[in-house]
Amino acid sequence: MSESVNISLILRDIQLMRKKLDEIEKELLKLKIQELEEEEVTEEELQELEKLAEETRKSGITWEEAKKELGL
């Protein structure tokens, strides 16, 4: 019985870590977008980057992979 409790606690902790990692990733993407804004991108480019950032986060593609694809 205690093993199932331990497994449940571990799974809960993993879910919490994933949630926190998603939050951190969102903040990092916002910072990257802000950095790109400072490089004078157009509003259209900014919207496309925001869309790509959201798609990247949802699909589980790492930021490093996305940067390679975008040539950043």
Side-chain angles (χ1 to χ4, degrees), residues 35-49:
E35 180 183 310
L36 291 173
E37 284 176 337
E38 293 170 2
E39 294 178 8
E40 298 182 20
V41 295
T42 67
E43 184 65 30
E44 185 178 303
E45 290 171 323
L46 178 60
Q47 289 175 353
E48 183 63 24
L49 284 170

Side-chain angles (χ1 to χ4, degrees), residues 3-52:
E3 281 186 36
S4 64
V5 172
N6 287 338
I7 291 172
S8 295
L9 291 174
I10 291 169
L11 289 174
R12 182 188 54 101
D13 288 346
I14 290 171
Q15 290 172 336
L16 290 172
M17 284 187 268
R18 283 184 179 160
K19 182 179 178 185
K20 189 65 177 173
L21 285 171
D22 281 346
E23 292 169 5
I24 291 169
E25 187 174 12
K26 282 181 190 178
E27 290 304 314
L28 288 172
L29 290 172
K30 287 179 187 177
L31 288 172
K32 185 63 179 177
I33 289 170
Q34 181 180 357
E35 180 183 310
L36 291 173
E37 284 176 337
E38 293 170 2
E39 294 178 8
E40 298 182 20
V41 295
T42 67
E43 184 65 30
E44 185 178 303
E45 290 171 323
L46 178 60
Q47 289 175 353
E48 183 63 24
L49 284 170
E50 288 173 346
K51 180 181 171 187
L52 286 171

